Amino acid sequence: MSTSAYDLMTGLLAVHLAGFAAWSGFLAGVLLLGPGGLQLLRWSLIAMPISLASGWALAVVQYGGPEDWPWAVNAMQTAGLAMAVVLLVTWFGGVLLVRDSEASRDADAREQAMRRLNRLVAIDLLLAVMNLGFAVIGRYG
């Protein structure tokens, strides 16, 4: 492998890992901070496409076309897309429910909306842990 290809892969991997760490870290922050952490979902929405795009670019540079990708890359891609869907549902569904309940000043509705939102964030974090497992097993398994 040439030095320039190695440098490209190293840079893409760094961007990909930073994007994944930010995406999942901001999700964890939402659970830890409660309603005050909802703004972190915006940052997850920024990190998500960075992580996905850099992962696809890394796979193409390293393996070529999708037909040549190993099972672990396909598993990570599937889990990443599932994470993206859950994040979008969380943002466009869960956050709007919380905002509507805050506007109506209904404490019970707000509590129920926060439980739903936290459930979605927890599902996304579970997918992130699975994704990390695919990466480790694919590399060392």
Side-chain angles (χ1 to χ4, degrees), residues 27-100:
L27 289 171
V30 171
L31 286 181
L32 292 172
L33 297 174
L38 291 181
Q39 295 176 9
L40 294 176
L41 282 176
R42 285 189 180 139
W43 290 102
S44 284
L45 286 169
I46 293 168
M48 179 243 309
I50 293 168
S51 181
L52 291 173
S54 61
W56 289 320
L58 186 61
V60 168
V61 168
Q62 188 169 6
Y63 300 109
E67 65 277 358
D68 296 326
W69 294 354
W71 73 268
V73 172
N74 287 317
M76 286 184 284
Q77 174 182 221
T78 302
L81 289 171
M83 285 178 67
V85 168
V86 172
L87 179 60
L88 292 172
V89 168
T90 303
W91 179 257
F92 291 109
V95 172
L96 294 177
L97 282 175
V98 171
R99 288 183 181 163
D100 287 348

Side-chain angles (χ1 to χ4, degrees), residues 5 12 20 35 50 76 84 88 106 111 118:
L12 284 171
F20 177 77
I50 293 168
M76 286 184 284
L88 292 172
D106 183 351
E111 184 177 321
N118 285 338

